[in-house]
Amino acid sequence: MQKNSSARRTPRRALVFIAAPALAAGALASVQSASAAPADAAACPAPAAAIGLSAGWKLQLPTPNSSGSPQEIKQPALSTYGKAPWFTTISGCDAILMRAAVNGATTSNTGYPRSELREMTADGSATTSWSSTKGTHTMVVDEAITHLPADKPHVMAGQIHDETSDVTSFRLEGTSLYVTSYNTTHYKLVTSNYKLGDRFEGKFVAHDGKVDVYYNGTLQATVTAKFGSGYFKAGDYTQANCNNSKPCDNSNYGEVALYGVTVKHS
């Protein structure tokens, strides 16, 4: 991750609202880790349909395309797409299971793999971005981190990205869940007793050159962040690779269950 870049104003974006089931603020629910997808998961709807995911996203997977880069799935294909175990429906049919192994394909600007949604225009036809100094931009994620890689048990689950770097995110390291701020990975400790499968609501609200970050309805941190081209991401961004985590194969991975994601711009 790099330091904050100077702000560039961009035109205000149109309202984008992505409907999904919400977790009541302050409520924690434990869910079973889906390290191996049960057989009845095959009877569930496609992942996007399971949570009512709108068209305003594209998917990046840890599986390589023909050139070796991470595979991307855009709309309209994403609406019916599934690829176990990297992007599939959880056995209860009410969440997307997103997994990235330490040996997964990565982009040129990171050494870590991801199974992650990237915010797009409302119809999914193009990438979108917005300014943290103009308007209010909100993402709510209803999720649970269900598996961590060995040796370096770190996963990011939900983030804002600007022109060059991660602005802020939820980051789990072992049992400690943090809010990050650019290169400061331990900006705010949310809990030191996170248990895999604990379901929570995370919310990011970007406005007036800052980001307010909430956990189960309670404000945890305010990150100073003036940028001109930001966007939301949701899913599993595994913070380990074959250089620092063994074994170097598909059995060693990070994983997140995504029950819902809502985005609003005003």
Side-chain angles (χ1 to χ4, degrees):
M1 293 183 289
Q2 301 178 11
K3 294 184 178 179
N4 190 3
S5 57
S6 60
R8 291 188 289 112
R9 290 191 177 271
T10 57
R12 180 173 295 186
R13 301 287 168 177
L15 180 71
V16 178
F17 183 78
I18 297 172
L23 181 67
L28 279 177
S30 182
V31 296
Q32 182 180 4
S33 175
S35 300
D40 60 345
C44 295
I51 69 167
L53 187 73
S54 86
W57 299 94
K58 72 173 180 179
L59 172 66
Q60 185 180 82
L61 288 170
T63 53
N65 59 22
S66 58
S67 65
S69 298
Q71 185 179 7
E72 286 193 347
I73 309 299
K74 300 179 180 180
Q75 296 293 355
L78 181 57
S79 64
T80 57
Y81 180 81
K83 187 169 186 176
W86 317 113
F87 186 77
T88 189
T89 308
I90 202 168
S91 61
C93 300
D94 59 349
I96 300 173
L97 196 64
M98 306 178 76
R99 180 187 296 189
V102 297
N103 62 339
T106 65
T107 58
S108 58
N109 60 352
T110 182
Y112 298 130
R114 69 185 86 207
S115 177
E116 197 172 36
L117 297 165
R118 195 270 195 209
E119 184 186 6
M120 302 285 280
T121 55
D123 62 359
S125 62
T127 57
T128 189
S129 63
W130 37 265
S131 171
S132 68
T133 62
K134 187 175 183 179
T136 300
H137 314 277
T138 304
M139 178 174 75
V140 178
V141 288
D142 174 1
E143 63 185 358
I145 300 168
T146 54
H147 198 277
L148 295 173
D151 301 321
K152 188 172 183 275
H154 300 178
V155 159
M156 285 170 56
Q159 62 169 303
I160 293 177
H161 205 283
D162 68 7
E163 298 95 328
T164 58
S165 61
D166 309 322
V167 175
T168 185
S169 69
F170 284 102
R171 180 186 180 98
L172 182 63
E173 299 185 2
T175 61
S176 295
L177 183 67
Y178 297 94
V179 172
T180 69
S181 173
Y182 290 95
N183 288 328
T184 306
T185 55
H186 299 168
Y187 185 73
K188 173 63 167 64
L189 177 65
V190 175
T191 177
S192 60
N193 192 35
Y194 183 86
K195 297 178 178 62
L196 292 179
D198 280 354
R199 184 173 167 184
F200 67 92
E201 180 189 89
K203 181 167 73 170
F204 302 89
V205 184
H207 63 101
D208 301 310
K210 59 187 179 182
V211 181
D212 296 326
V213 185
Y214 297 79
Y215 177 80
N216 289 331
T218 300
L219 179 64
Q220 296 293 322
T222 296
V223 176
T224 300
K226 295 181 179 180
F227 53 83
S229 297
Y231 52 91
F232 292 117
K233 304 189 83 173
D236 168 45
Y237 186 14
T238 298
Q239 298 292 287
N241 56 35
C242 288
N243 293 326
N244 51 39
S245 182
K246 305 298 179 186
C248 179
D249 59 35
N250 289 347
S251 69
N252 188 12
Y253 57 89
E255 185 180 77
V256 171
L258 183 65
Y259 289 81
V261 57
T262 302
V263 168
K264 183 178 180 181
H265 300 289
S266 60

